[in-house]
Amino acid sequence: MSEENSNMLLGVRDKPPALNWVLLAIQHVCAMFGATILVPIVVNTTAGADVLSIPVALVSSGLGTLIYLICTRGRSPVYLGSSFAFIAPMIAGYAIAGKASVFTALMIVGLVYVIISLIIRISGKAWINRLLPPVIVGPMIMVIGLSLAPTAISEIGLDLDIIPWQNLIVALIAFLTTAFLAVRGKGILRVIPFLVGIIVGYIVAALLGMVDFTSVMAAQVIAVPEFYLPFMHYDLNFAAILTIVPIALVTMVEHIGDHKVLSEIIGRDLIEDPGLDRTLLGDGLATFLAAFLGGPANTTYGENTSVVGMTRVASVYVIGLAAIIAIVFAFSGHLTALLTAIPAPVLGGISVLLYGFICVNGLKILIHNQVDFNNTKNVVVAATMLVLGLGGATLSVASGDLSIAISGMSLAAIVGIILNLCIPEEKHE
């Protein structure tokens, strides 16, 4: 047994027996699978084009996790998957300048992580709390969740004059299944409510004749994912960069929070060992590689942290095997076709909860950190961010042939940081 918490059945560097190893890894795959594939599905549905590929997202997730494990020297049992924080920015970036610009911006996100990890190694991490206090991070996460709300409504069809009754039934069943398992589920089922909700909704939709299995029948057993190589077909668009890259500041805080939670579970401070510089480096290189291949940005997955807590197994060998299994799944043509055929109402029912959960997580940050909204400065910062982020504000600057636009969440984040740094603290009589 390694030096981790004595409550852990297997420590970080312990290797489980072969059969248990596989079973534990499969649990981690189930935990990450629903969320990881949901990101490309939502982005493509909302954008009305194939911006992201499900198989590439799975490969990116697996390879990114392996890179993370290497960067942290096998000292941190974290799984990386597709980040929900970048859904709306990727859709906006695609609308601004196309797919190539999105992947270029995401590669820069990875580089930002790497640069910040180097700064932390040199100067420490105290400045992060100064730059990104809870009053900035909380509203930013709320904006991320609420800005996606219209997508869920559209997928169900609640924005139509006449809503097909099949849509309502399928969305409601997917919603209720997910909600029930999130509240009352036991064991692994409580960790994967979104995956089970998708499966149940999918089955009901198929029984109602809403699924076309033609592409599934025609799919190949083994299919190589359609990797995208931005270094060959990239587009450096500053408007897309300014739309996507600032979100890295928010996901960096999410990264720190997830590692703190996992630290409590395994009984060792991961921020100190292997160190925040190494964990951010791993996350940044993983995101860079994901974008290089044409996948979404990576982030630490709380679902897999929950699996570690539930199974009391923190072995990085299990995490590594789960990453390899995810990569293997990406080469299954039938699996890809099945996932692509998921009806929109299924996703809509799931997304009502999912986007709401994201928003509430931002609210929980404000509550947990006891942000004082009797302090007018905090009210000004949070209120401004919410209005700019949800109101669709855009700030454009043009000079000759060069045009740069900052909009939505990115504008809210930048303005929030500036306001928090520049507005003096309130003085009471």
Side-chain angles (χ1 to χ4, degrees):
M1 184 75 65
S2 60
E3 73 276 17
E4 275 66 44
N5 191 328
S6 59
N7 291 325
M8 301 306 296
L9 179 63
L10 286 177
V12 169
R13 292 193 172 182
D14 293 331
K15 185 182 296 185
L19 180 58
N20 289 348
W21 191 355
V22 174
L23 293 176
L24 289 165
I26 290 175
Q27 289 187 65
H28 277 282
V29 173
C30 290
M32 54 71 63
F33 195 83
T36 296
I37 67 169
L38 199 55
V39 171
I41 291 174
V42 170
V43 170
N44 294 346
T45 302
T46 307
D50 291 332
V51 181
L52 297 174
S53 163
I54 293 174
V56 174
L58 289 172
V59 171
S60 302
S61 172
L63 290 178
T65 300
L66 295 176
I67 289 174
Y68 173 90
L69 294 178
I70 293 171
C71 290
T72 56
R73 300 175 297 178
R75 301 282 294 168
S76 179
V78 164
Y79 194 95
L80 301 182
S82 305
S83 173
F84 280 89
F86 288 94
I87 289 179
M90 283 190 290
I91 294 170
Y94 174 77
I96 291 171
K99 184 160 62 172
S101 65
V102 170
F103 297 134
T104 304
L106 290 178
M107 283 194 289
I108 294 175
V109 167
L111 294 178
V112 169
Y113 266 59
V114 172
I115 293 170
I116 291 176
S117 73
L118 296 176
I119 295 174
I120 289 174
R121 171 167 290 192
I122 297 171
S123 63
K125 55 182 181 293
W127 59 274
I128 294 177
N129 294 330
R130 170 66 175 161
L131 185 68
L132 297 168
V135 73
I136 298 291
V137 178
M140 196 65 249
I141 294 177
M142 293 174 69
V143 169
I144 290 171
L146 292 176
S147 65
L148 293 167
T151 300
I153 301 303
S154 176
E155 287 172 337
I156 298 173
L158 293 175
D159 57 345
L160 302 175
D161 294 332
I162 301 177
I163 307 170
W165 62 270
Q166 296 96 329
N167 286 22
L168 290 177
I169 291 177
V170 169
L172 183 61
I173 290 177
F175 172 87
L176 291 177
T177 301
T178 305
F180 177 81
L181 290 178
V183 176
R184 299 295 298 274
K186 302 295 183 182
I188 187 66
L189 290 179
R190 186 163 188 170
V191 179
I192 56 172
F194 292 104
L195 178 60
V196 177
I198 290 174
I199 293 173
V200 173
Y202 201 158
I203 293 173
V204 173
L207 293 175
L208 293 176
M210 299 173 63
V211 183
D212 183 4
F213 290 106
T214 303
S215 60
V216 179
M217 301 300 293
Q220 298 177 340
V221 176
I222 299 177
V224 178
E226 296 181 3
F227 296 111
Y228 188 83
L229 300 179
F231 281 168
M232 295 177 62
H233 312 99
Y234 68 90
D235 179 15
L236 189 64
N237 184 280
F238 288 102
I241 289 172
L242 290 174
T243 298
I244 295 173
V245 172
I247 306 303
L249 298 174
V250 178
T251 53
M252 182 177 66
V253 177
E254 179 186 41
H255 172 105
I256 296 172
D258 286 340
H259 281 78
K260 286 183 177 179
V261 171
L262 184 57
S263 295
E264 294 178 3
I265 292 174
I266 69 174
R268 175 164 55 80
D269 189 355
L270 298 174
I271 303 298
E272 299 297 331
D273 178 19
L276 184 58
D277 57 329
R278 286 185 173 274
T279 62
L280 280 174
L281 176 65
D283 206 342
L285 292 178
T287 293
F288 183 90
L289 176 65
F292 179 81
L293 297 176
N298 279 327
T299 190
T300 52
Y301 260 22
E303 294 92 333
N304 294 86
T305 298
S306 298
V307 173
V308 171
M310 181 188 67
T311 61
R312 297 192 299 120
V313 173
S315 172
V316 292
Y317 291 99
V318 172
I319 300 295
L321 180 58
I324 293 172
I325 293 174
I327 295 171
V328 172
F329 277 3
F331 288 83
S332 171
H334 288 103
L335 178 61
T336 301
L338 275 171
L339 296 174
T340 305
I342 297 176
V346 175
L347 301 176
I350 298 295
S351 297
V352 168
L353 273 178
L354 181 63
Y355 303 155
F357 276 14
I358 294 173
C359 173
V360 172
N361 280 336
L363 186 60
K364 285 167 62 178
I365 288 176
L366 296 174
I367 295 173
H368 177 74
N369 291 277
Q370 298 181 334
V371 175
D372 182 13
F373 281 109
N374 286 320
N375 184 330
T376 308
K377 174 182 175 179
N378 290 339
V379 174
V380 170
V381 172
T384 303
M385 292 180 65
L386 289 172
V387 172
L388 292 178
L390 298 175
T394 300
L395 180 63
S396 300
V397 178
S399 177
D401 295 332
L402 179 63
S403 177
I404 298 176
I406 311 173
S407 62
M409 289 181 285
S410 300
L411 181 61
I414 293 171
V415 171
I417 291 172
I418 294 173
L419 287 177
N420 187 64
L421 292 175
C422 295
I423 296 178
E425 293 295 333
E426 183 177 8
K427 291 184 178 181
H428 297 280
E429 296 297 334

